[in-house]
Amino acid sequence: MASAPNRTDTRDAAAANSDPTPSGWMDRIVNTRLETWRRWWRVAVLETVDQEAVIEKRREEAYTSPRYLFMLAMSAGIAILGLLLSSPAVVIGAMLIAPLMGPIIGAGFALAIGDYSWLRGSAVALAAGTVLGVALTALIVFVSPLQTVTPEIAARTQPNLFDLAVAVFSALAGAYSMIRGREGTIVGVAIATALMPPLGVVGFGLATANWTVFSGALLLYVTNLMTIALVATIMARIYGFSARLSEKQTRWQTALIIAVFIGLAVPLFFSLRQIVWETNAARVIRTTVLAEAGADARLTNIDFDLDADPVTVSATILTPSPRPAAEADSEAALASQLHRPVELALTQYRVGTGAEAEAVELLRAREDSQQALNEETRLLVERVALIAGTDPSDVTVDREARRAVVRAARLPGAGLAAYRALEARIQAASPNWTVRIEPPLLALPQIAFDGQDLTAAGRVALNLVAWAASRRGQPVSLTGGTSQTRAIAAQILEEAGVAPILNVGGPVMQAGWTLDPPEDETGAP
């Protein structure tokens, strides 16, 4: 009696497989294709992956170690300096050496295979790295004289749904490259997801008590971290690493992954919606103000604050026929389209058409250019004074010639070479200006010769003498050496625009100042 149901089941299955209806025929085709694809995936893909080797490699890089902490500290230092200087190249350098990818990917694989000891180790490494990164960057910002929100910092304070998408695609590429042994791709993943720069911005926000910057950067960091780990878990499961998990554990993992992604996506979606609204609002404000001012009107200046309540808008219009009702009509139209109260201050200038309007616009452009120049000058003066160790009032500026000159204060342990390096640094940061730093009256170097030939160190010393003399406008002397070596050195200085006084002396040539130092610079250098 036990065998009868088995024969019945066999006949039922055979009948189902021989179902002549269209739906049964399609089911057979789909089942056959799926089985073929599963067989190909198992043989051509899964069996070619050395799971033990991949797990061992990921496990090595997932735990806290002195090397991990040292590289993370170096990466954090580079990142925050690049952010403060707004240097993308420096920030990218921090991305490349940041070791956070190891424990993040390790956490994803540990979750996939159910190795909770490994997962705890990865979590500890991530926590230690995060705390160290935030603490170090906050300390650097706290002692730094530069605490301005630069474009590089601002770019990491408003994450949105697109950042989540970037993290997903980058994590897919990174996990695939690690599973398939093509880890060169991980360099691009490190740049795309950029874990360390957001962590540096978190430290910046903490040090400056800027909680908007702090929270935005923290959300971006957590988004990248969680996305990479969970996508690594998904990829590991696709490649068969989760075979040892029970069905209950697999369901638990799936629910966890879905819940985390939903939790991340919701605030990022609202952030993206806010960005879209602000972009559309800016377009609506411009077009509405122009439309209400008339067809011949020209918009020369507009400022608005979308975060204010009500939204504030300030605009300047050039028009041949000013409309008294333009301000009220524009304000009502903007409130209707933005669905928020608007406070508009509209200034209308009566101008003619054609050349007259263009002349007014040109005048306005010149005014804006002058304002920009004034702001640029202010920032330059602050930087020059900071580097020279003086007060900004001691910096002499010629705006027309774009030239800034300052007499540097004595800096402990700094020689003439240090002052020249400081000048080169500020000059590189302000290529549109000519920056000159006048060093204090310090000892000039010896000029080294090898016989009758000037050495490389001697040429460097002569260049330094020429620089110092030109900056101070003070004559120099060359004492010692032979008449031939003095002539060689004098020729090099003269080519640099410095005419030295030559004195007979000992065998070693020494450069020196020929005038007594001013009263405010007395004392041994």
Side-chain angles (χ1 to χ4, degrees):
M1 293 181 65
S3 60
N6 293 335
R7 287 195 298 270
T8 302
D9 292 343
T10 303
R11 286 194 299 271
D12 291 343
N17 289 331
S18 59
D19 186 356
T21 63
S23 60
W25 178 69
M26 289 298 297
D27 289 343
R28 289 198 302 275
I29 293 178
V30 171
N31 291 336
T32 302
R33 295 289 175 84
L34 287 175
E35 183 59 32
T36 302
W37 185 86
R38 291 192 190 98
R39 189 181 304 111
W40 170 84
W41 181 260
R42 184 172 58 253
V43 174
V45 178
L46 298 186
E47 293 182 2
T48 63
V49 176
D50 188 346
Q51 293 191 3
E52 294 300 325
V54 172
I55 290 175
E56 186 62 28
K57 178 67 175 176
R58 302 282 65 80
R59 200 187 300 270
E60 289 177 1
E61 301 174 351
Y63 292 100
T64 307
S65 66
R67 175 190 174 278
Y68 166 78
L69 295 176
F70 175 79
M71 292 301 294
L72 192 138
M74 296 305 99
S75 174
I78 294 172
I80 193 60
L81 292 176
L83 292 167
L84 291 174
L85 295 172
S86 195
S87 172
V90 176
V91 174
I92 290 175
M95 299 176 191
L96 295 178
I97 68 171
L100 288 168
M101 194 66 71
I104 294 176
I105 294 289
F109 276 78
L111 183 62
I113 66 175
D115 189 336
Y116 298 107
S117 175
W118 181 10
L119 182 61
R120 282 193 299 271
S122 298
V124 169
L126 285 173
T130 301
V131 172
L132 175 61
V134 172
L136 181 60
T137 54
L139 177 62
I140 292 174
V141 173
F142 184 77
V143 301
S144 170
L146 300 176
Q147 296 185 352
T148 305
V149 178
T150 64
E152 285 292 321
I153 293 175
R156 293 168 174 86
T157 59
Q158 197 173 11
N160 55 67
L161 208 55
F162 286 166
D163 292 294
L164 178 63
V166 170
V168 168
F169 288 121
S170 301
L172 287 171
Y176 171 80
S177 65
M178 290 182 173
I179 292 172
R180 304 300 295 177
R182 298 174 175 87
E183 297 192 17
T185 309
I186 204 64
V187 173
V189 173
I191 294 175
T193 50
L195 291 162
M196 186 51 68
L199 200 60
V201 178
V202 172
F204 177 91
L206 182 63
T208 58
N210 189 329
W211 306 119
T212 300
V213 170
F214 177 87
S215 59
L218 183 61
L219 177 59
L220 178 59
Y221 175 71
V222 172
T223 297
N224 288 340
L225 187 153
M226 297 298 297
T227 301
I228 294 171
L230 294 180
V231 170
T233 300
I234 294 171
M235 289 293 287
R237 288 179 57 174
I238 291 174
Y239 276 86
F241 285 79
S242 60
R244 68 189 69 179
L245 294 180
S246 66
E247 184 178 351
K248 180 179 180 181
Q249 289 174 317
T250 301
R251 288 198 303 268
W252 176 81
Q253 274 192 15
T254 302
L256 174 65
I257 292 171
I258 293 174
V260 171
F261 274 118
I262 292 175
L264 290 174
V266 169
L268 295 176
F269 168 76
F270 284 111
S271 177
L272 177 61
R273 190 175 69 171
Q274 178 66 19
I275 292 174
V276 172
W277 182 84
E278 290 177 356
T279 302
N280 291 333
R283 175 182 54 80
V284 167
I285 290 173
R286 293 178 180 274
T287 56
T288 302
V289 171
L290 270 177
E292 296 296 334
D296 295 330
R298 298 190 184 187
L299 182 64
T300 63
N301 184 56
I302 186 166
D303 293 309
F304 47 83
D305 184 359
L306 297 175
D307 294 327
D309 187 18
V311 174
T312 59
V313 180
S314 174
T316 302
I317 293 290
L318 303 180
T319 176
S321 53
R323 294 182 59 245
E327 180 174 294
D329 292 345
S330 298
E331 190 172 272
L334 288 175
S336 174
Q337 295 187 60
L338 298 180
H339 304 290
R340 289 177 58 181
V342 175
E343 184 176 302
L344 172 64
L346 180 62
T347 302
Q348 302 181 72
Y349 289 107
R350 181 188 297 275
V351 298
T353 57
E356 184 179 349
E358 291 177 2
V360 174
E361 286 195 41
L362 180 59
L363 179 61
R364 178 71 183 186
R366 287 176 178 173
E367 292 176 353
D368 292 342
S369 177
Q370 186 62 40
Q371 291 178 359
L373 178 60
N374 291 340
E375 179 65 15
E376 182 182 3
T377 303
R378 184 187 66 80
L379 295 176
L380 175 68
V381 168
E382 290 179 355
R383 289 197 296 266
V384 171
L386 178 65
I387 287 180
T390 63
D391 190 84
S393 61
D394 295 329
V395 182
T396 303
V397 176
D398 183 348
R399 286 184 172 85
E400 296 299 326
R402 287 183 172 267
R403 179 183 177 89
V405 180
V406 65
R407 174 175 290 186
R410 285 181 180 271
L411 303 177
L416 289 174
Y419 289 97
R420 184 170 63 171
L422 290 174
E423 181 188 89
R425 175 182 171 187
I426 192 66
Q427 181 66 73
S430 306
N432 297 326
W433 287 76
T434 299
V435 180
R436 294 291 180 262
I437 294 181
E438 179 184 328
L441 196 68
L442 300 176
L444 294 176
Q446 293 181 347
I447 313 301
F449 278 83
D450 183 6
Q452 302 299 318
D453 297 326
L454 183 64
T455 65
R459 184 171 293 277
V460 170
L462 281 173
N463 290 334
L464 183 60
V465 170
W467 174 83
S470 65
R471 296 300 182 266
R472 289 191 60 83
Q474 189 167 340
V476 297
S477 63
L478 296 175
T479 303
T482 66
S483 59
Q484 183 177 353
T485 58
R486 286 195 297 274
I488 293 173
Q491 181 181 358
I492 293 175
L493 289 178
E494 288 170 357
E495 291 174 354
V498 177
I501 298 174
L502 305 182
N503 300 320
V504 178
V508 178
M509 185 183 298
Q510 175 68 52
W513 301 106
T514 61
L515 298 179
D516 292 334
E519 293 183 359
D520 62 340
E521 291 186 8
T522 57

